[in-house]
Amino acid sequence: MKTLSRKERNFLEREQELIDLALDIMHEEGFVGLTMDKLTARSDFSKGTIYNHFSCKEDVLSAIGICCLNDLNSLFSRAMAFKGNPRERLIAMHVAYMLNARLKSDQFMCVLSCKTSTVKEKSSEKRQLISTEKETQLISLLNDLVREAEQVGDLDVLKSRSIEAVTFSHWATSFGTIALMMHAEESQIVKKLDVEEALLYNICVMLDGLGWKPLSSEWDYLDTIERIHNEVFAPEMEQLNHQ
């Protein structure tokens, strides 16, 4: 790995400081509230310095999305190391996604917004390439896990059309459940649910439907969740409990 010069380190540290300030603004005022003028007013840097880092608001959003993808890659890699069967490690990835969303909710929504044409057209080409690279890494981890389940006989991928179709169903189930639980909390049905219990239920319905073994009738996945909390994500669980 290349050793960064002091100038390069200073540049990256300043950029991260600006990203953190942008997240503060978004947390207080939402996506619409973030502007380059507000970022300049909030920081100790000149507008010219800020524009050396980001060409526009959408470029800032793209940078935030990359930070989230970096966090997810780290969490997913830890989930993959969980000592369990392929389905248990897949559940560990869903837990990782849920923890990331609950601990860093502003970043969580940024990843999807960065896929819209409005953001993609205005963010820098370099950040678009980095975002695609990071997303590819995440998808590869999931694809590898699906492939492993097929190899050990826990899943018949042909019945599910393709590895990519199975991977997409995971993302859609996880994102949809978490987004609704976090952003439709006033809904009468959502009020009565626990986010993690709802996520595990939806995952098990999907995986049982795919025939991914062991089925939920054959395995205690609540125990699996508890082990994942204690063995993989204890620091994140402690942070969540203190929020």
Side-chain angles (χ1 to χ4, degrees):
M1 182 179 294
K2 175 188 173 184
T3 302
L4 298 177
S5 67
R6 178 179 296 179
K7 182 178 180 181
E8 289 171 325
R9 289 198 304 272
N10 289 340
F11 184 89
L12 292 176
E13 288 171 3
R14 184 166 60 242
E15 188 157 285
Q16 187 58 55
E17 182 178 341
L18 290 168
I19 289 171
D20 291 341
L21 289 173
L23 283 167
D24 287 342
I25 295 171
M26 286 172 52
H27 182 72
E28 295 167 9
E29 305 182 37
F31 277 28
V32 177
L34 175 62
T35 66
M36 296 299 282
D37 285 340
K38 288 181 181 177
L39 185 57
T40 301
R42 187 75 66 101
S43 77
D44 295 327
F45 308 115
S46 67
K47 181 174 287 189
T49 297
I50 293 174
Y51 275 94
N52 282 336
H53 289 270
F54 309 108
S55 59
C56 57
K57 166 185 173 175
E58 289 75 16
D59 206 25
V60 178
L61 292 175
S62 184
I64 292 171
I66 289 170
C67 287
C68 185
L69 291 172
N70 281 332
D71 289 342
L72 282 173
N73 269 299
S74 176
L75 291 169
F76 275 30
S77 295
R78 288 163 59 191
M80 281 288 284
F82 176 62
K83 292 180 174 59
N85 59 49
R87 179 162 165 165
E88 286 184 296
R89 279 182 282 136
L90 177 65
I91 289 175
M93 287 192 177
H94 284 285
V95 171
Y97 196 39
M98 181 272 296
L99 287 171
N100 177 264
R102 295 181 72 182
L103 292 171
K104 299 182 178 181
S105 58
D106 296 317
Q107 287 189 22
F108 172 74
M109 295 306 297
C110 251
V111 173
L112 191 63
S113 70
C114 290
K115 297 300 177 186
T116 63
S117 58
T118 302
V119 175
K120 289 180 67 176
E121 288 171 2
K122 295 183 179 180
S123 61
S124 69
E125 183 178 351
K126 179 181 178 180
R127 285 201 170 89
Q128 290 183 47
L129 290 173
I130 293 173
S131 179
T132 299
E133 176 188 341
K134 300 298 181 183
E135 184 179 312
T136 300
Q137 291 173 4
L138 287 172
I139 294 171
S140 294
L141 287 173
L142 284 166
N143 285 345
D144 288 346
L145 196 51
V146 175
R147 195 173 289 111
E148 181 187 343
E150 180 183 38
Q151 290 171 350
V152 300
D154 289 348
L155 177 67
D156 186 345
V157 172
L158 290 179
K159 290 183 179 179
S160 308
R161 296 180 57 192
S162 68
I163 288 175
E164 290 73 22
V166 176
T167 294
F168 176 76
S169 67
H170 298 321
W171 180 51
T173 299
S174 224
F175 178 83
T177 302
I178 295 168
L180 282 172
M181 291 295 293
M182 292 177 58
H183 298 282
E185 62 270 16
E186 292 306 312
S187 167
Q188 291 303 306
I189 189 169
V190 169
K191 281 182 177 181
K192 298 178 181 179
L193 298 175
D194 173 82
V195 61
E196 190 164 66
E197 290 178 0
L199 181 59
L200 178 60
Y201 176 81
N202 287 349
I203 292 167
C204 284
V205 168
M206 176 191 67
L207 295 178
D208 286 351
L210 292 172
W212 191 320
K213 301 175 182 177
L215 300 178
S216 57
S217 60
E218 306 166 338
W219 197 273
D220 185 356
Y221 287 108
L222 286 174
D223 180 69
T224 295
I225 291 280
E226 188 67 24
R227 288 175 51 222
I228 292 167
H229 287 171
N230 295 331
E231 298 174 20
V232 185
F233 298 121
E236 286 77 15
M237 290 303 302
E238 183 176 358
Q239 185 180 350
L240 187 63
N241 290 334
H242 283 85
Q243 278 192 345

